[in-house]
């Protein structure tokens, strides 16, 4: 990878000497948003863009870190518990060091350089950074982690050091995915399997809204609280809400007095059902059915979970209106980010450019797009 060679050169220019280099992908979720923290099954896939990390250990207990994407730098004692300012990307570095220390892995000190090329929001740049850092530091200290343990520790970074009580979906696909596949991941028992997309699969078109995402973290935590309330009303553990059968949901829905909480629960329950049907349809090569489920998922996220926005709705509608598109939906936490669409490969550039042109006419900005490729999980890149 040319950019990894450049990263290593940039590391030498900044810190002197050689480094070991690592890479962790971003992800696009095919279907199953906002069910991971409710115990559901999700179907994400890695993308060809991600976070590159260069590391060299130090023996003096000092952590020095820099980013190719943010001018802020970090220099602190590896054992320091002093909190960094909110929003400082260095929280990911200090968080990675801290969660490794909790399992007995002493980083001791390190020079770290990171650089990401994930094109736009909603593609899990935060989980990519967290997984990349935990992976790189554990490997460099001679304490390699099992993929699932890597995912859990990276999630812990976000929980304890970033303040986002995210589920495990993003970290799991980044740590566990196989090339050419999506990942079927059960957020309850962490069982997982690769779902081959197949040579005849339509193009997985990802189009970014170019909208700055605001209040995502606070709204995410609000939805977490709302789904917890819904589970209590329905008499099921929060971690089983997304596994609730449709029939049981219909029988108990009247127990929820709050209309907003009822809609949140309806999304979680029906999205869990859509994921199961989509996984089976992909295995059967029934992409028209997958497209129908995509469209239904977007409507649910828009109307019941209330995490969409006009830009996402417009992009999804423009894609879905094309005869070459099986279906489209927002992907990720919402309020901006990206739409994922299933488009017949021979028409993908034509559809993408037409959608981008129409979107630019309405919002005054031309969205970036790419066709997602699954290249597999986080890895070492220097040999």
């Amino acid at each position: 990878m040319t950019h990894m060679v450049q990263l290593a050169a940039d590391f030498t220019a900044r810190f002197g000497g050689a480094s070991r280099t690592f890479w962790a992908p971003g992800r696009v979720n095919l279907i199953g948003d906002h069910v991971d923290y409710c115990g559901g099954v999700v179907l994400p896939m890695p993308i060809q863009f991600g976070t590159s990390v260069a590391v060299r250990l130090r023996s003096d207990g000092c952590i020095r870190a820099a980013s190719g994407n943010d001018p802020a730098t970090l220099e602190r004692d590896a054992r320091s518990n002093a909190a960094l300012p909110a929003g400082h990307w260095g929280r990911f570095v200090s968080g990675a060091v801290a969660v490794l220390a909790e399992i007995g892995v002493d980083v001791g000190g390190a020079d770290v350089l990171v650089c990401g090329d994930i094109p736009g929001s909603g593609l899990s740049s935060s989980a990519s950074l967290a997984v990349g850092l935990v992976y790189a530091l554990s490997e460099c200290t001679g304490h390699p982690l099992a993929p699932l343990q890597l995912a859990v520790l990276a999630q812990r970074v976000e929980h304890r050091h970033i303040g986002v009580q995210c589920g495990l979906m993003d970290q799991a696909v980044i740590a566990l995915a196989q090339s050419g596949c999506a990942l079927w991941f059960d957020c309850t028992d962490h069982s997982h399997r690769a779902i081959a997309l197949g040579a005849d699969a339509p193009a997985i078109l990802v189009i970014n809204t170019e909208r700055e995402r605001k209040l995502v973290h606070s709204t995410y935590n609000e939805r977490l609280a709302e789904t917890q309330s819904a589970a209590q009303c329905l008499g099921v553990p929060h971690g089983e809400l997304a596994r609730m059968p449709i029939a049981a949901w219909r029988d108990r829905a009247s127990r929820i007095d709050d209309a907003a909480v009822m809609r949140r629960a309806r999304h979680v329950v029906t999205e869990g059902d859509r994921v199961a049907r989509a996984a089976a349809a992909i295995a059967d090569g029934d992409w028209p059915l997958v497209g129908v489920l995509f469209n239904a998922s977007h409507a649910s996220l828009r109307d019941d979970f209330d995490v969409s926005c006009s830009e996402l709705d417009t992009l999804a509608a423009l894609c879905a209106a094309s005869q070459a598109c099986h279906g489209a939906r927002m992907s990720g936490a919402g309020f901006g980010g990206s739409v994922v669409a299933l488009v017949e490969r021979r028409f993908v550039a034509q559809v993408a450019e037409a959608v981008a042109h129409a979107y630019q006419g309405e919002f005054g900005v031309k969205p970036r797009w790419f066709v997602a490729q699954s290249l597999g999980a986080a890895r070492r890149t220097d040999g």
Side-chain angles (χ1 to χ4, degrees):
M1 298 181 180
T2 303
H3 64 282
M4 299 304 297
V5 174
Q6 184 61 52
L7 179 75
D10 290 345
F11 181 96
T12 299
R14 179 178 287 270
F15 296 117
S19 62
R20 294 176 63 180
T21 59
F22 305 83
W23 179 78
R27 69 94 186 95
V28 63
N29 191 28
L30 298 184
I31 194 165
D33 281 308
H34 291 284
V35 300
D36 55 343
Y37 50 87
C38 299
V41 172
V42 291
L43 199 63
M45 66 172 279
I47 59 175
Q48 64 269 38
F49 305 101
T51 304
S52 302
V53 182
V55 173
R56 183 183 62 222
L57 295 182
R58 301 170 59 95
S59 59
D60 60 0
C62 180
I63 298 290
R64 299 190 301 174
S67 168
N69 306 96
D70 192 313
T73 58
L74 173 69
E75 185 165 349
R76 61 190 276 148
D77 186 280
R79 295 171 178 80
S80 173
N81 293 319
L84 291 168
H88 194 300
W89 76 272
R91 282 176 171 254
F92 285 91
V93 181
S94 58
V97 172
V99 299
L100 286 170
E102 291 171 6
I103 64 167
V105 177
D106 184 8
V107 172
D111 291 330
V112 179
L113 178 63
V114 302
C115 188
D117 65 355
I118 295 175
S121 59
L123 301 173
S124 205
S125 57
S126 59
S128 174
L129 176 58
V131 172
L133 286 165
V134 175
Y135 181 68
L137 291 169
S138 63
E139 289 284 324
C140 286
T141 56
H143 294 86
L145 304 171
L148 188 57
Q149 184 185 23
L150 168 62
V152 169
L153 289 177
Q155 180 195 40
R156 193 174 297 170
V157 171
E158 296 214 52
H159 282 189
R160 299 183 182 178
H161 300 274
I162 309 302
V164 179
Q165 300 306 306
C166 56
L168 193 60
M169 174 181 72
D170 296 349
Q171 297 84 359
V173 67
I174 293 167
L176 290 162
Q178 295 181 24
S179 179
C181 299
L183 181 74
W184 183 98
F185 184 76
D186 188 320
C187 298
T188 297
D189 63 13
H190 299 167
S191 60
H192 54 88
R193 67 177 187 268
I195 301 288
L197 298 174
D200 296 330
I204 298 172
L205 174 65
V206 181
I207 309 181
N208 191 264
T209 62
E210 307 300 334
R211 167 178 163 144
E212 182 182 357
R213 300 165 78 218
K214 297 180 179 179
L215 303 179
V216 174
H217 291 175
S218 61
T219 304
Y220 185 104
N221 291 335
E222 288 174 12
R223 295 295 179 271
L224 176 65
E226 288 170 331
T227 56
Q228 289 170 335
S229 177
Q232 184 176 17
C233 292
L234 294 168
V236 298
H238 183 241
E240 296 179 12
L241 181 61
R243 313 173 83 83
M244 193 174 189
I246 296 289
W249 152 252
R250 289 171 179 160
D251 288 343
R252 303 183 195 179
S254 61
R255 299 181 185 181
I256 304 176
D257 294 329
D258 187 293
V261 171
M262 188 277 291
R263 292 196 304 273
R264 309 303 184 240
R266 182 168 58 197
H267 165 72
V268 171
V269 173
T270 58
E271 186 80 345
D273 180 69
R274 283 186 289 269
V275 172
R277 295 169 63 196
I282 291 173
D284 292 339
D286 189 349
W287 291 101
L289 175 55
V290 180
V292 169
L293 295 167
F294 268 36
N295 291 339
S297 174
H298 182 82
S300 182
L301 287 159
R302 179 191 64 211
D303 301 333
D304 280 348
F305 219 67
D306 194 23
V307 289
S308 190
C309 61
S310 58
E311 290 90 342
L312 284 168
D313 294 340
T314 297
L315 275 182
L318 287 169
C319 289
S322 170
Q323 291 185 344
C325 178
H326 295 297
R329 63 183 293 277
M330 59 160 279
S331 179
F335 302 107
S338 299
V339 159
V340 58
L342 302 174
V343 181
E344 291 302 316
R345 289 189 177 275
R346 64 185 183 278
F347 297 118
V348 67
Q350 176 183 333
V351 169
E353 288 300 330
V355 167
H357 179 75
Y359 182 88
Q360 184 176 21
E362 183 159 351
F363 293 101
V365 59
K366 186 173 183 178
R368 290 168 289 173
W369 62 271
F370 65 94
V371 174
Q373 301 175 45
S374 171
L375 303 181
R379 70 198 70 163
R380 183 179 172 184
T381 56
D382 59 351

